[in-house]
């Protein structure tokens, strides 16, 4: 488990043996997105706290459904890892509900994998298995994803 | 009844009836001993019975004895779906399209290789990219990448990364038909073209093995493959289509979710089983893109094999012929392929989804190399990095499983549990002490792959043998492992 008692992510053991399941709780949907990105970094790196924050990257995405937008966002981070060699942490996230779509705009910061980090495993994709991202009461959000590694 | 769900119907075969869950179109069948069945996590049964709901599924939703929970399909899952009124589901193939195994033997024995093994491992570790991200052995421009998607291993041979004989000993001759690059997104191209010829991470590996006399389990068939024992050196390469396949699966899953219910009125409980009719526009596009990824994975393993062959020749200063290097076979274990079957007296073309399951065509069947026509195609089963691997051929009951069998040991422990229980560096030391040299980019990744996180491979092979799906031919012991 990582984060404070109200806002955290945890790896869940009894969902999938082959892959990695992540459960998050937070006060805002933006924090849910941030915690999931942090969990993804924990999958990639042995010690994500050592990731230097030197290279900036902007992400703009949209989807009709919030849970699938979360999947799309995390898959984008994996895509950037593979194509640019960049591991990223979200600095600011804005999620805006417009007429038919939900838009997610993220300013990320991070560093290149090749700069000597102790790596863990390579995430392939975020699956749609039991995926969830929803408000569960007035000031609490919850998400669930499975990362294929 | 085992687990209160599955009923024993034969030796190492259990069935969950078709009325177990609303929406199941066929029963679910699990090949396993009672012990292996009890070791399977409940999510396997949930996932397998969801698979039984897919439109067009024939006979049974199947799970092999190495089955364990994944996403959508369980790993070790098989579903044969009528292409006329059925669907194609990316979740039945997995993100790592055409993850598979290539296996070659040499005429070297352990005494000859042993003094040079460390040097060979170091050379391979530096020449074969592995780990997170990672560029490949080749860097392809857009035109070359399009060609490679269609040609697979043939592209490698045409560009000096192999010989014609390599093509003979690959499933589909290393080049599957119906690969259409126009079905592949720009993102998949961008992600894939720099990674061709790389091992990846997770459970992917390159492993040197020895074959001892007492591990020859069927002498006649083993000898026909060129396997003679006497501490013979062999090598196994396990990897897939890398980011290219992952991106294709990601792209099409998103598309299928948006059309599955609204356009095609298909209702499946798990979105990871998102699917579209095989003959629909979306279904065909995914099929064509998936075949491109199958070819890129064949090419990937061919390029790695070429480097290994080159390094062995360099170290021993001998030719491949002098070293007796002989490719035995290259098999896929994450694909959906069209195969012909007789179902209730009717000939049908079925799309056989195998996710963590290996095709096992038996003797006399078309689609396997002429040299193996009288014995059946080799089936390559990789164990954990601390246990044996196997070469098998199809058994007398193989048709019952749509000529499918196991692909590995199968996990019994989650990655997180394994990481808590084992320390990567200790594990590497322990492996070296037991005679397995290790090279890895990640010690925590190594911990996740500890042998104890997997089922006992010998139990898995015993179950599949008792079920009549496979005949064990030889058992290989690891002596050197490169992990991504």
């Amino acid at each position: 488990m990582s984060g404070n008692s109200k806002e955290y992510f945890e790896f869940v053991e009894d969902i999938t043996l082959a892959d990695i399941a992540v459960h998050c709780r937070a006060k805002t949907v933006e924090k849910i997105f941030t915690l999931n990105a942090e969990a993804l970094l924990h999958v990639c790196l042995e010690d994500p706290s050592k990731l230097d924050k030197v290279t900036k990257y902007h992400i703009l995405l949209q989807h009709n459904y919030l849970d699938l937008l979360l999947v799309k966002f995390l898959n984008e981070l994996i895509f950037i890892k593979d194509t640019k060699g960049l591991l990223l942490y979200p600095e600011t996230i804005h999620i805006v509900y417009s007429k038919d779509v939900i838009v997610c705009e993220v300013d990320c910061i991070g560093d290149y994998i090749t700069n000597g980090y102790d790596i863990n495993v390579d995430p392939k994709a975020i699956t749609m298995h039991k995926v969830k991202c929803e408000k569960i009461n007035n000031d609490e959000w919850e998400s669930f994803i499975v990362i294929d590694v | 009844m085992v687990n209160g769900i599955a009923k024993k119907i034969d030796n190492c075969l259990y069935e969950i009836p078709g009325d177990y869950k609303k929406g199941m179109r066929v029963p679910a069948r699990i090949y396993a001993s009672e012990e292996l069945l009890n070791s399977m996590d409940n999510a396997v049964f949930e996932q397998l019975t969801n698979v039984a709901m897919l439109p067009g599924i024939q006979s049974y939703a199947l799970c092999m004895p190495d089955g364990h929970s994944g996403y959508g399909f369980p790993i070790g899952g098989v579903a044969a779906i009528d292409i006329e009124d059925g669907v194609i589901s990316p979740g039945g193939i997995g993100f790592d399209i055409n993850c598979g195994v290539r296996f070659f033997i040499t005429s070297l024995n352990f005494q000859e290789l042993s003094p040079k093994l460390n040097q060979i491992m170091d050379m391979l570790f530096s020449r074969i990219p592995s780990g997170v991200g990672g560029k490949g052995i080749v860097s392809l421009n857009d035109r070359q990448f399009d060609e490679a998607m269609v040609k697979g291993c043939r592209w490698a041979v045409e560009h000096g990364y192999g010989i014609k004989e390599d093509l003979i000993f690959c499933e589909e001759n290393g080049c599957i038909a119906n690969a259409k690059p126009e079905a592949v997104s720009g993102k998949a191209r961008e992600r894939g073209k720099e990674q061709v010829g790389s091992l990846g991470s997770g459970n992917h590996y390159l492993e040197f093995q020895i074959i001892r006399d007492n591990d020859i389990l069927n002498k006649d068939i083993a000898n026909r493959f060129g396997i003679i024992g006497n501490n013979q050196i062999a090598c196994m390469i396990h990897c897939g289509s890398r980011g290219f396949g992952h991106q294709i699966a990601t792209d099409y899953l998103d598309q299928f979710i948006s059309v599955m219910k609204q356009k095609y009125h298909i209702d499946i409980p798990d979105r990871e089983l998102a699917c579209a009719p095989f003959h629909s526009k979306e279904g065909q596009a995914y099929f064509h893109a998936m075949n491109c990824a199958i070819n890129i994975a064949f090419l990937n393993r061919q390029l790695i094999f070429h480097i290994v062959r080159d390094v062995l020749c360099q170290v021993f200063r001998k030719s491949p012929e002098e070293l007796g290097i002989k490719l035995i076979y290259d098999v896929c274990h994450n694909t959906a392929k069209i195969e012909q079957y007789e179902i209730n007296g009717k000939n049908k073309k079925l799309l056989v989804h195998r996710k963590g399951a290996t095709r096992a065509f038996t003797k006399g069947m078309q689609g396997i190399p002429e040299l193996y026509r009288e014995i059946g195609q080799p089936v390559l089963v990789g164990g954990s990095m601390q246990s044996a691997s196997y070469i098998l051929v199809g058994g007398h009951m193989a048709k019952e499983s749509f000529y499918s069998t196991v692909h590995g040991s199968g996990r019994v422990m989650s990655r997180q549990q394994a990481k808590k229980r084992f320390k990567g560096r200790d594990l590497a030391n322990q492996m070296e002490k037991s005679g397995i040299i290790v090279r890895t980019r990640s010690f925590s990744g190594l911990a996740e792959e500890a042998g104890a996180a997997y089922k006992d491979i010998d139990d898995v092979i015993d179950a599949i043998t008792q079920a009549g799906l496979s005949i064990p031919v030889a058992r290989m012991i690891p002596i050197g492992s490169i992990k991504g």
Side-chain angles (χ1 to χ4, degrees):
Chain A
M1 192 182 286
S2 182
N4 63 40
S5 59
K6 289 260 180 168
E7 298 191 303
Y8 62 87
F9 75 80
E10 61 183 343
F11 294 116
V12 187
E13 309 240 324
D14 57 352
I15 302 294
T16 168
L17 291 184
D19 305 295
I20 297 174
V22 182
H23 170 243
C24 292
R25 278 206 179 182
K27 290 178 184 168
T28 65
V29 66
E30 285 82 3
K31 185 68 178 176
I32 284 281
F33 275 53
T34 303
L35 285 171
N36 274 285
E38 212 175 293
L40 190 61
L41 276 179
H42 273 81
V43 170
C44 290
L45 293 175
E46 284 197 34
D47 186 357
S49 67
K50 288 184 180 165
L51 181 70
D52 285 337
K53 293 176 177 175
V54 288
T55 304
K56 293 189 171 191
Y57 202 93
H58 184 74
I59 295 171
L60 181 66
L61 301 166
Q62 62 178 49
H63 208 291
N64 301 89
Y65 302 99
L66 183 64
D67 53 355
L68 299 186
L69 182 63
L70 173 64
V71 169
K72 195 171 183 178
F73 165 60
L74 297 170
N75 274 328
E76 189 67 14
L77 292 176
I78 293 173
F79 176 76
I80 295 163
K81 163 189 69 66
D82 274 5
T83 53
K84 316 276 182 214
L86 265 175
L87 291 173
L88 296 168
Y89 179 86
E91 273 196 316
T92 58
I93 298 188
H94 295 290
I95 293 171
V96 180
Y97 290 74
S98 74
K99 204 176 173 188
D100 293 321
V101 294
I102 310 161
V103 179
C104 156
E105 189 162 11
V106 190
D107 284 314
C108 296
I109 194 157
D111 197 9
Y112 292 94
I113 306 168
T114 45
N115 287 346
Y117 296 103
D118 289 332
I119 58 174
N120 191 4
V121 290
D122 201 7
K124 297 172 187 167
I126 309 301
T127 78
M128 304 289 183
H129 187 59
K130 294 181 185 283
V131 62
K132 177 169 124 175
C133 179
E134 60 190 28
K135 194 172 191 177
I136 50 174
N137 57 48
N138 277 347
D139 62 348
E140 202 169 18
W141 287 76
E142 186 176 47
S143 72
F144 183 85
I145 56 155
V146 172
I147 306 170
D148 185 2
V149 294
Chain B
M1 296 289 261
V2 179
N3 277 338
I5 302 171
K7 185 178 72 177
K8 184 169 184 173
I9 57 165
D10 207 342
N11 202 13
C12 291
L13 181 58
Y14 292 82
E15 185 171 301
I16 302 173
D19 59 2
Y20 167 73
K21 199 193 266 184
K22 194 181 169 199
M24 283 173 71
R25 293 166 191 263
V26 293
R29 283 190 163 188
I30 302 145
Y31 289 94
S33 61
E34 187 171 339
E35 199 185 345
L36 284 172
L37 188 79
N38 281 324
S39 77
M40 288 179 184
D41 47 317
N42 281 336
V44 171
F45 309 118
E46 186 200 335
Q47 291 175 355
L48 189 64
T49 47
N50 287 344
V51 171
M53 297 179 185
L54 288 171
I57 189 166
Q58 303 291 303
S59 306
Y60 311 100
L62 298 168
C63 183
M64 298 295 129
D66 53 339
H68 55 283
S69 57
Y71 46 84
F73 272 52
I75 316 294
V78 178
I81 295 177
D82 190 339
I83 64 168
E84 291 314 317
D85 58 5
V87 295
I88 182 167
S89 173
I93 294 142
F95 282 90
D96 195 4
I97 298 167
N98 189 8
C99 185
V101 178
R102 179 172 288 223
F103 177 67
F104 72 89
I105 56 168
T106 72
S107 57
L108 293 166
N109 63 31
F110 182 64
Q111 289 69 26
E112 290 165 315
L113 181 83
S114 183
K116 297 176 189 291
L117 186 56
N118 266 301
Q119 182 194 357
I120 290 167
M121 296 284 283
D122 286 339
M123 288 170 77
L124 290 173
F125 195 53
S126 90
R127 285 186 64 183
I128 299 171
S130 61
V132 175
K135 306 254 178 198
I137 291 164
V138 292
S139 180
L140 306 180
N141 64 33
D142 291 343
R143 185 186 51 78
Q144 289 171 318
F145 195 47
D146 270 22
E147 267 178 37
M149 286 184 221
V150 175
K151 292 182 173 177
C153 284
R154 265 177 48 216
W155 188 92
V157 172
E158 287 173 9
H159 290 80
Y161 297 99
I163 53 174
K164 275 185 185 169
E165 287 70 25
D166 295 342
L167 304 179
I168 298 171
F169 298 104
C170 292
E171 197 168 314
E172 305 294 337
N173 297 119
C175 173
I176 199 161
N178 290 311
K180 297 187 180 174
E182 57 270 30
V184 174
S185 72
K187 285 188 97 163
R189 285 159 191 272
E190 196 182 339
R191 195 168 164 192
K193 70 180 180 188
E194 293 292 332
Q195 290 190 335
V196 183
S198 62
L199 205 52
S201 78
N203 62 356
H204 293 155
Y205 59 81
L206 185 158
E207 184 175 277
F208 281 98
Q209 303 165 336
I210 56 169
I211 309 166
R212 305 174 301 196
D213 287 343
N214 59 354
D215 285 326
I216 302 282
L217 307 170
N218 185 311
K219 197 175 174 194
D220 178 42
I221 300 176
N223 287 170
R224 291 209 206 183
F225 286 144
I227 295 170
I228 53 164
N230 190 29
N231 294 333
Q232 185 177 9
I233 297 298
C235 181
M236 196 172 258
I237 298 161
H238 175 221
C239 59
S241 50
R242 305 283 285 111
F244 182 62
H246 311 163
Q247 192 63 42
I248 287 172
T250 299
D251 293 342
Y252 279 96
L253 257 176
D254 197 44
Q255 267 195 41
F256 281 19
I257 282 175
S258 66
V259 296
M260 179 171 72
K261 205 165 181 177
Q262 284 185 340
K263 190 172 173 184
Y264 298 113
H265 313 292
I266 300 168
D267 199 6
I268 300 288
D270 184 351
R271 279 187 286 183
E272 189 58 39
L273 288 176
C275 54
F278 178 74
H279 287 300
S280 67
K281 189 180 108 200
E282 297 84 358
Q284 284 295 289
Y286 172 66
F287 182 61
H288 295 144
M290 178 199 64
N291 285 329
C292 289
I294 287 180
N295 284 336
I296 291 299
F298 280 137
L299 172 60
N300 198 27
R301 293 194 286 274
Q302 173 67 32
L303 291 170
I304 294 171
F305 169 54
H306 182 72
I307 297 289
V308 183
R309 187 162 48 188
D310 187 52
V311 164
L312 287 173
C313 291
Q314 210 178 319
V315 169
F316 285 95
R317 298 181 183 200
K318 286 184 176 177
S319 68
E321 294 74 28
E322 286 169 319
L323 292 173
I325 293 174
K326 185 186 166 207
L327 177 59
I328 297 292
Y329 210 44
D330 181 306
V331 295
C332 321
H333 52 232
N334 278 6
T335 58
K337 291 166 70 172
I338 297 175
E339 295 166 13
Q340 194 120 7
Y341 290 92
E342 193 185 294
I343 304 288
N344 300 328
K346 280 186 186 167
N347 274 321
K348 289 187 174 186
K349 278 186 179 168
L350 306 182
L351 186 69
V352 185
H353 293 65
R354 297 186 179 95
K355 181 182 177 186
T358 313
R359 190 192 76 174
F361 278 0
T362 54
K363 58 184 172 186
M365 291 179 76
Q366 294 294 313
I368 56 180
E370 189 63 42
L371 196 67
Y372 302 149
R373 201 58 64 73
E374 287 176 18
I375 43 180
Q377 72 158 82
V379 171
L380 309 170
V381 183
S384 77
M385 63 185 185
Q386 292 182 281
S387 68
S389 293
Y390 277 84
I391 181 165
L392 321 169
V393 291
H396 67 286
M397 298 294 280
K399 196 175 177 184
E400 294 294 309
S401 64
F402 299 99
Y403 296 99
S404 308
T405 188
V406 294
H407 84 305
S409 303
R411 293 191 78 94
V412 282
M413 197 184 285
S414 75
R415 292 179 175 278
Q416 294 304 313
Q417 285 170 325
K419 213 153 62 173
K420 279 180 202 160
R421 195 161 144 195
F422 306 103
K423 295 274 169 272
R425 284 180 199 278
D426 294 347
L427 198 61
N429 290 337
Q430 193 186 321
M431 287 172 71
E432 300 247 351
K433 277 182 195 160
S434 68
I436 308 167
I437 295 172
V438 184
R439 298 286 182 273
T440 182
R441 304 261 171 226
S442 162
F443 283 102
S444 59
L446 193 74
E448 293 182 9
E449 291 299 314
Y454 285 85
K455 297 176 194 182
D456 184 326
I457 185 81
D458 298 327
D459 292 346
V460 169
I461 299 300
D462 188 48
I464 213 72
T465 307
Q466 285 196 48
L469 298 192
S470 296
I471 300 165
V473 176
R475 189 171 179 270
M476 294 81 77
I477 305 295
I479 54 167
S481 180
I482 294 178
K483 298 289 286 184

